[in-house]
């Protein structure tokens, strides 16, 4: 059980949770899929990861949510159709699934490993002191910073602290602003983190676009988004003791050393991914997966040398994440290939259409998210269909439109995974957060992102 106690015989079956042998099968096959994705690419090994992750997911069928089950059935139906009509397209989708599976498992492994760190309590607790504006900016930036290695784990860590403060002091403008900051901070990572799924998928479909080019544009926009978010928050009415606020809710341990350790750890992982992709000419998703797995292996080795025996974390609980992310990518590749076939391989965008389409890319991601569509599906579909017909000199406009729209979607729509996770932890309704707290900020930011994507596309296309 999650709390470390032992369940009576038959409890797992009664609760609908998969028995231990099935969880072991899921974890083993997830690790095998990771290993396949880390191997040097070839025409054969790239196809093996998809069947392995399919076994891992099917072994966890009883634990899958309804949405995940429907998505898995769609994957099966579309795979059978592609096998009959376009076998080569099925191979491309399977290879893409292998790469993304390795990335997802590696990131989840890194998150599970760092999630047990004693530093996290100090890092999160130290942010809930001080006045309202610095506190809001600190929580939002810290959530995005922790999301670089922790992914959704950062929302869990920060959301737990918000829930604790809410429990001790009650629902207030302070806790609601903190919840806003957590959602918007996670968007920061999605927009500009070198390890985020959004950046990896964007660079996978736009391999000619350099990481440094994309970050040079997306990082200032992400920071502007956080600053703009400080305008769209509630005025905080607090007691006169605003300075030592929450001293009873969080520990005041010195946080400088934990911050330095986390900064060094994240910098090393990002540097490793950049070196592998730039100098070893490695696919960026594989470079990120290798860097994350290498960091986990190094940490595990150091613990063993210190006499701290620790096994590998179980990957049995990531079935829903694998279905949503990898299944969405699989469907996106097939849909993109079908769209290109219908349009024709020689189809190209008119010169005037590029900026207009670039303006609409963030909006398309956001509106699809409002309809409940995971941004991986939309992002993969956009990348698969637009990358082959986009002007090569203006890929930065398309890439920025994708990552900015992705980040605004995960922060401002009620069906995103992090919105639902924060809702479950804090009790704040995800629809309220999206439609009442964030909608005006999302609309303003979407206009700004669309104009910037269109301007980049126009300027780079028209440049001699």
């Amino acid at each position: 059980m999650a709390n470390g106690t032992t369940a009576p015989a038959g409890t797992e079956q009664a609760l609908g949770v998969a028995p231990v042998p099935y969880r072991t099968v899921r974890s083993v096959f997830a690790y095998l899929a990771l290993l396949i994705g880390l191997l040097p690419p070839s025409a054969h090994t790239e196809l093996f990861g998809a069947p392995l992750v399919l076994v891992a997911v099917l072994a966890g069928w009883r634990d899958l949510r309804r949405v995940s089950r429907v998505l898995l059935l769609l994957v099966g139906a579309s795979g059978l159709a592609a096998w009959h009509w376009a076998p080569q397209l099925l191979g491309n989708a399977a290879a893409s699934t292998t790469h993304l599976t390795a990335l997802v498992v590696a990131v989840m492994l890194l998150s599970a490993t760092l999630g047990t760190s004693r530093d996290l309590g100090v890092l999160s607790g130290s942010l809930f002191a001080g006045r309202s504006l610095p506190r809001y900016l600190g929580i939002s930036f810290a959530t995005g910073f922790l999301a670089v290695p922790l992914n959704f784990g950062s929302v869990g860590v920060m959301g737990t602290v918000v829930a604790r403060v809410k429990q001790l002091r009650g629902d207030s403008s302070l806790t609601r602003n903190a919840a806003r900051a957590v959602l918007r901070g996670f968007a920061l990572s999605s927009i500009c983190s070198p390890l985020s799924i959004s950046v990896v998928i964007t660079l996978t479909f736009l391999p000619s676009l350099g990481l440094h080019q994309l970050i040079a544009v997306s990082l200032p926009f992400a920071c502007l988004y956080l600053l703009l978010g400080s305008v769209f928050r509630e005025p905080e009415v607090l007691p006169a003791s605003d300075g030592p606020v929450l001293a009873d809710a969080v520990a005041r341990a010195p946080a400088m050393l934990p911050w330095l350790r986390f900064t060094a750890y994240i910098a090393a992982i990002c540097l490793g991914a950049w070196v592998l992709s730039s100098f070893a000419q490695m696919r960026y998703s594989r470079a990120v997966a290798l860097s994350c797995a290498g960091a986990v292996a190094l940490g595990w080795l150091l613990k063993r040398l210190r006499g701290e025996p620790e096994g590998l974390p179980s990957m049995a609980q990531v079935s829903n994440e694998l279905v949503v992310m990898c299944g969405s990518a699989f469907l996106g590749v097939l849909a993109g290939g079908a769209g290109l076939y219908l349009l024709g391989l020689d189809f190209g965008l008119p010169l005037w259409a590029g900026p207009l389409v670039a303006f609409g890319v963030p909006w398309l991601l956001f509106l699809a998210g409002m309809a409940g569509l995971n941004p991986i599906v939309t992002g993969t579909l956009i990348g698969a269909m637009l990358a082959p017909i986009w002007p090569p000199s203006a890929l930065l406009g398309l890439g920025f439109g994708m990552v900015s729209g992705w980040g605004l979607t995960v922060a401002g729509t009620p069906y995103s995974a992090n919105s639902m996770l924060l809702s479950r932890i804090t009790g704040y309704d995800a629809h309220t957060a999206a439609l009442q707290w964030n909608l005006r900020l999302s609309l303003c930011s979407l206009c700004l992102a669309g104009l910037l994507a269109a301007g980049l596309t126009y300027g780079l296309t028209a440049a001699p």
Side-chain angles (χ1 to χ4, degrees):
M1 303 294 284
N3 58 4
T5 59
T6 304
T11 301
E12 290 176 327
Q13 286 80 357
L15 293 174
V17 179
V20 173
Y22 287 96
R23 297 204 302 269
T24 302
V25 168
R26 284 147 54 183
S27 187
V28 168
F29 275 89
Y31 275 115
L32 287 175
L34 169 62
L35 180 61
I36 292 295
L38 297 181
L39 292 176
S42 72
H44 302 291
T45 58
E46 288 185 326
L47 301 179
F48 292 152
L52 289 173
V53 74
L54 181 60
V55 173
V57 167
L58 289 177
W61 176 265
R62 297 177 62 181
D63 293 344
L64 293 181
R65 304 185 190 100
R66 183 177 300 176
V67 174
S68 300
R69 293 183 180 185
V70 172
L71 183 59
L72 188 58
L73 292 175
L74 287 176
V75 167
S78 61
L80 289 175
W83 184 30
H84 179 72
W85 297 103
Q88 74 284 357
L89 194 59
L90 182 60
N92 294 337
S96 178
T97 301
T98 297
H99 300 146
L100 188 57
T101 298
L103 173 69
V104 170
V105 176
V107 170
M108 293 296 179
L109 178 60
L110 179 66
S111 176
T113 303
L114 291 180
T116 60
S117 171
R118 291 187 296 268
D119 288 341
L120 288 181
V122 177
L123 293 178
S124 56
S126 65
L127 297 167
F128 280 79
R131 297 190 176 276
S132 58
L133 179 58
R135 186 190 316 119
Y136 168 84
L137 294 175
I139 294 172
S140 57
F141 174 79
T143 304
F145 182 76
L146 294 178
V148 176
L150 296 180
N151 197 15
F152 294 115
S154 65
V155 177
V157 170
M158 301 301 296
T160 300
V161 180
V162 175
R164 184 182 175 197
V165 173
K166 181 182 176 185
Q167 182 181 14
L168 291 172
R169 301 177 65 93
D171 181 23
S172 65
S173 56
L174 183 149
T175 54
R176 290 191 293 271
N177 281 336
R180 287 179 172 92
V182 171
L183 284 177
R184 297 166 184 177
F186 186 76
L188 171 70
S189 175
S190 299
I191 294 172
C192 63
S193 167
L195 307 183
S196 68
I197 302 293
S198 56
V199 171
V200 172
I201 287 183
T202 298
L203 293 181
T204 297
F205 285 104
L206 309 177
S208 301
L209 178 61
L211 173 65
H212 63 284
Q213 296 174 298
L214 184 60
I215 300 300
V217 177
S218 63
L219 178 58
F221 174 81
C223 294
L224 180 61
Y225 171 73
L226 292 188
L227 291 175
L228 187 61
S230 65
V231 178
F232 294 93
R233 59 191 176 94
E234 295 181 50
E236 294 186 11
V237 181
L238 296 175
S241 57
D242 188 29
V245 72
L246 303 182
D248 58 336
V250 293
R252 292 294 195 89
M256 182 59 67
L257 187 58
W259 278 114
L260 290 176
R261 280 197 293 261
F262 253 78
T263 301
Y265 202 76
I266 293 172
I269 296 171
C270 295
L271 180 62
W274 176 73
V275 169
L276 289 173
S277 62
S278 298
F279 296 98
Q281 299 299 311
M282 198 176 287
R283 179 191 288 264
Y284 189 69
S285 59
R286 181 166 171 256
V288 172
L290 269 173
S291 185
C292 292
V296 171
L298 179 60
W300 180 82
L301 180 60
L302 291 175
K303 287 186 177 182
R304 297 287 294 183
L305 292 176
R306 291 197 300 262
E308 302 176 12
E310 182 173 328
L312 289 173
S314 172
M315 290 289 107
Q317 303 304 320
V318 301
S319 297
N320 284 286
E321 287 80 0
L322 287 175
V323 172
V324 170
M325 295 184 181
C326 301
S328 299
F330 185 90
L331 290 175
V333 171
L334 293 183
L340 283 178
Y341 176 78
L342 294 175
L343 291 174
L345 296 178
D346 57 345
F347 180 81
L349 283 176
L351 185 62
W352 58 267
L356 186 62
V357 174
F359 178 85
V361 165
W363 289 90
L364 179 60
L365 279 156
F366 186 83
L367 292 175
M370 277 293 193
L373 203 61
N374 190 283
I376 294 181
V377 178
T378 319
T380 303
L381 185 60
I382 290 173
M385 293 193 66
L386 292 183
I389 62 176
W390 203 260
S393 60
L395 288 177
L396 181 59
L398 175 59
F400 172 75
M402 290 175 65
V403 296
S404 60
W406 197 307
L408 297 175
T409 299
V410 300
T413 57
Y415 304 108
S416 65
N418 52 295
S419 294
M420 292 188 287
L421 176 60
L422 186 72
S423 174
R424 186 167 71 246
I425 294 174
T426 64
Y428 287 124
D429 182 62
H431 285 79
T432 299
L435 302 178
Q436 296 183 21
W437 294 357
N438 278 340
L439 186 57
R440 288 185 299 164
L441 172 62
S442 296
L443 294 177
C444 292
S445 302
L446 283 167
C447 289
L448 187 61
L451 289 173
L452 185 53
L456 286 169
T457 302
Y458 175 78
L460 294 173
T461 304

